[in-house]
Amino acid sequence: MMQHITGIPRNQMVFSSLEDMILPDNPVRFVDAFVEALSIQTLGFKIQTLKTEGRPSFDTKLFLKIYLYGYLNGLRSSRKLQKECVRNIELQWLLCGIVPNYHSISDFRKQNPSGLKNLFKLFVSFLKDVDLIAGETIAIDGTKSRAHNSKKANFNQKKIDRHLAYIEEKTQEYLTDLDQNDLQDSSIKITKIQEKIERLKTNKIGYEVLQEKLKASGQPQISTTDQDARALLVQGVVVEISYNIQAAVDNKHNLVVATHTINRNDLNALGAIALEAKENLGVETFTVLVDKGYHNGREIAQCINHNITTIVAHPTPGTSKESVTQPDYLVAKFIYNKADDTYTCPQGEILRTTGRWHKKSGRTEQSGYQFKKYRTPSCKECPVKHLCTARPAGREIDRSEYASAVEENNKRYRENPQLYRTRQEINEHIFGTIKRQWGYNHTNLTGLEKVNGEHSLIMLVYNIKRTINILGVPDLIAKIKNWNTPYKAKACIVFITNYFRLCKDIIENELQFAA
């Protein structure tokens, strides 16, 4: 009796095909069916054309299959993907044994960000058509993805000034040392000090050039490795050089319906991602659930103007230590009267406006807004003035041009606590899955456009994985084949292409046999 299970001898011949090794419910079969059904040129992918000389090029669909398979299985590196093409049975089946060079694999991802974004949107429309997306309640949130740029290679004016001050200080030290050694006639030390001074001069020129670039850009900071990357607040007081991935998620099956990447924080991001979701879904209206980091009057008003119902959490108003205003006299306690455009204070006095609009400037021209001032002369004789304001002339309230939209939103937020609580259930786990479980918490690409392309690919893969879990591979392939869209490859074209490819292979084999 044998003590252990034994395998087959390594020199034993086994007759089987790649097709026999891939089960019908293997996700790689969906990747193949999905890509083959696409008209990738219509989607905006760059097509490799046949040249008159040299080696024939690889089919662009080949690289799309590689990246879809790679990201589905946690493989992002083009060198690792090349290795997998050699040793991975699933990739051998998917690519019919072709092994592209890692450089060609890498170039595809860099050259096709717009194609990848369009492919994500196309898959969203497919999910809507097969009734996996309801398009009624959408949760929006963002997460930071570390950029390919270190903190040392990111500068603001304060940091540049600190470096220039240090250079000036060290230069003065070296000049003093130079004078002392000159008196002592120490030629070796003098030479070393002169070299250090020259190095400091070179560094100073570099920082001065960087300072000019920063001023010319009109931005508060500049990065040297990846010029689009920015220092963003990640959590608490932690700052990383990052990008900000925005995602809109449908509540039916927690599928992503819109995504794009920005290089700023969430405050001015709501309108763009909400409108993108509306465009991708093709619906007239929906309700959007968003946390307080997005609470911005202009963005909320933009959503309302496009028939999008917002429920954005209202941030708790802060008060400085120097403020004398007591809780009973905060702005929220003043009642606005829309009919006559006045405010009523807790003491029953009426605050009126002259109707003049004032301009509030922001960091950018877009972030500025207009507001009106409201005052009352009754403040001078008010017995509780010391509890309301430290302003000698009395209390003054500013009302933004977006105040009505904000008040409507805040009312909906107070009236729908149960609905708002579902926000975290809808979209928080998506970022946890992508960043913690898959390890996609950073990007190795540089430039906002390329990073957008990669993050669209990540969200597409997330949707594919989740859809496979819901429907299963065979059912999903059947739905893709029956789906009617102008972005699908025409059946006759696919047949003709495959026919000519088969004829070409037969002719080449006959020529080799004849030789």
Side-chain angles (χ1 to χ4, degrees):
M1 182 176 178
M2 298 181 65
Q3 185 176 0
H4 303 293
I5 298 172
T6 58
I8 61 174
R10 289 180 177 138
N11 57 357
Q12 177 177 321
M13 295 184 68
V14 177
F15 292 92
S16 66
S17 65
L18 288 172
E19 182 67 22
D20 295 334
M21 298 181 182
I22 307 300
L23 296 175
D25 60 349
N26 193 315
V28 75
R29 288 191 177 274
F30 169 74
V31 173
D32 184 63
F34 180 47
V35 176
E36 287 300 329
L38 297 173
S39 172
I40 59 174
Q41 188 170 7
T42 310
L43 285 166
F45 286 93
K46 293 184 178 179
I47 306 299
Q48 299 292 333
T49 55
L50 187 65
K51 298 178 181 178
T52 55
E53 297 179 355
R55 184 184 179 188
S57 60
F58 292 111
D59 188 348
T60 305
K61 286 187 174 182
L62 190 82
F63 298 110
L64 182 54
K65 290 179 180 180
I66 290 173
Y67 271 111
L68 284 174
Y69 178 86
Y71 276 73
L72 275 167
N73 292 277
L75 295 167
R76 303 169 76 186
S77 164
S78 58
R79 291 179 185 269
K80 287 183 180 179
L81 286 169
Q82 182 187 357
K83 287 182 181 178
E84 291 300 314
C85 290
V86 176
R87 66 189 181 190
N88 188 312
I89 295 294
E90 292 177 343
L91 269 177
Q92 288 178 17
W93 177 88
L94 183 63
L95 309 179
C96 299
I98 297 175
V99 182
N101 180 271
Y102 76 90
H103 205 286
S104 299
I105 296 172
S106 177
D107 286 344
F108 170 82
R109 185 174 54 181
K110 293 176 184 176
Q111 294 170 358
N112 292 283
S114 61
L116 292 171
K117 286 187 282 187
N118 292 335
L119 185 58
F120 166 81
K121 293 180 180 181
L122 179 67
F123 195 70
V124 170
S125 66
F126 163 73
L127 296 174
K128 185 74 168 59
D129 289 346
V130 297
D131 202 29
L132 291 179
I133 290 174
E136 296 174 358
T137 303
I138 306 294
I140 290 176
D141 204 356
T143 189
K144 308 301 188 300
S145 174
R146 291 200 314 275
H148 189 55
N149 194 100
S150 70
K151 286 184 180 179
K152 290 182 179 179
N154 175 266
F155 299 89
N156 56 22
Q157 188 60 54
K158 187 177 179 180
K159 189 175 181 180
I160 293 172
D161 290 340
R162 191 166 63 247
H163 280 288
L164 290 174
Y166 173 79
I167 290 171
E168 189 65 33
E169 181 184 346
K170 295 301 290 183
T171 302
Q172 289 301 322
E173 287 182 16
Y174 290 142
L175 288 172
T176 304
D177 291 344
L178 192 63
D179 291 339
Q180 291 176 354
N181 285 282
D182 193 27
L183 293 172
Q184 298 172 5
D185 197 22
S186 178
S187 58
I188 297 175
K189 286 187 176 180
I190 289 172
T191 303
K192 288 183 178 179
I193 292 171
Q194 287 174 337
E195 289 174 357
K196 290 178 179 179
I197 291 173
E198 288 301 318
R199 190 159 58 245
L200 286 172
K201 286 181 180 178
T202 303
N203 291 345
K204 183 178 181 181
I205 292 171
Y207 286 117
E208 287 173 345
V209 170
L210 201 59
Q211 184 172 243
E212 291 301 318
K213 287 183 178 179
L214 180 61
K215 289 179 180 177
S217 69
Q219 297 292 321
Q221 54 178 288
I222 188 170
S223 297
T224 55
T225 306
D226 181 355
Q227 294 185 3
D228 291 336
R230 295 289 180 267
L232 300 177
L233 196 64
V234 177
Q235 187 177 16
V237 295
V238 179
V239 173
E240 294 284 353
I241 313 303
S242 311
Y243 286 99
N244 189 356
I245 310 173
Q246 299 292 305
V249 185
D250 183 74
N251 73 329
K252 184 173 184 177
H253 288 293
N254 297 350
L255 291 162
V256 184
V257 298
T259 184
H260 65 249
T261 302
I262 57 179
N263 58 359
R264 61 185 187 276
N265 284 312
D266 296 333
L267 187 61
N268 298 303
L270 176 58
I273 187 67
L275 291 178
E276 183 182 329
K278 185 178 181 183
E279 180 187 349
N280 291 354
L281 293 171
V283 295
E284 289 298 319
T285 184
F286 59 85
T287 299
V288 61
L289 310 176
V290 200
D291 69 26
K292 63 184 179 182
Y294 290 82
H295 197 280
N296 180 308
R298 184 185 62 257
E299 300 294 316
I300 292 172
Q302 184 182 5
C303 290
I304 293 173
N305 291 339
H306 287 85
N307 205 23
I308 299 171
T309 304
T310 63
I311 301 180
V312 186
H314 186 269
T316 304
T319 56
S320 65
K321 293 180 180 179
E322 294 77 17
S323 176
V324 301
T325 305
Q326 298 303 303
D328 289 340
Y329 297 93
L330 294 173
V331 174
K333 302 295 183 179
F334 286 66
I335 300 170
Y336 179 68
N337 312 299
K338 188 175 181 180
D340 53 3
D341 191 19
T342 61
Y343 275 96
T344 303
C345 80
Q347 292 295 308
E349 299 295 340
I350 305 298
L351 286 76
R352 304 182 186 280
T353 177
T354 62
R356 179 188 171 194
W357 287 101
H358 302 266
K359 179 70 175 178
K360 176 73 172 180
S361 57
R363 287 187 175 181
T364 62
E365 187 177 346
Q366 183 186 4
S367 61
Y369 62 91
Q370 296 185 100
F371 66 95
K372 290 191 287 189
K373 293 179 180 290
Y374 295 77
R375 309 182 186 96
T376 177
S378 302
C379 282
K380 295 177 182 179
E381 300 172 356
C382 182
V384 294
K385 179 184 174 185
H386 63 286
L387 302 176
C388 185
T389 181
R391 189 170 175 270
R395 187 62 178 268
E396 183 177 86
I397 292 179
D398 296 344
R399 181 175 177 82
S400 163
E401 60 183 309
Y402 308 117
S404 295
V406 170
E407 288 164 358
E408 290 176 23
N409 171 83
N410 295 347
K411 183 181 178 183
R412 283 191 295 270
Y413 171 66
R414 291 190 299 270
E415 292 174 349
N416 296 276
Q418 294 298 328
L419 178 59
Y420 179 77
R421 285 194 194 99
T422 64
R423 182 193 66 82
Q424 288 182 309
E425 300 172 12
I426 297 170
N427 63 7
E428 292 287 357
H429 77 280
I430 290 175
F431 297 130
T433 300
I434 290 169
K435 296 175 73 173
R436 295 294 181 90
Q437 195 170 335
W438 297 357
Y440 297 159
N441 56 6
H442 66 280
T443 177
N444 287 333
L445 299 178
T446 58
L448 187 58
E449 185 181 7
K450 293 176 185 176
V451 172
N452 252 301
E454 184 186 19
H455 289 158
S456 295
L457 175 60
I458 290 172
M459 292 300 181
L460 168 64
V461 165
Y462 176 87
N463 280 350
I464 289 174
K465 268 198 172 186
R466 193 157 184 83
T467 308
I468 288 173
N469 291 337
I470 296 168
L471 296 177
V473 172
D475 191 16
L476 186 54
I477 291 175
K479 289 183 182 298
I480 279 287
K481 288 182 177 178
N482 294 328
W483 184 45
N484 184 23
T485 173
Y487 293 99
K488 286 184 69 175
K490 302 299 181 184
C492 61
I493 295 175
V494 173
F495 171 77
I496 292 169
T497 303
N498 291 338
Y499 174 77
F500 279 113
R501 188 181 296 164
L502 179 64
C503 291
K504 180 185 175 184
D505 292 341
I506 293 172
I507 293 169
E508 287 179 350
N509 289 336
E510 289 181 351
L511 290 173
Q512 290 177 359
F513 180 77

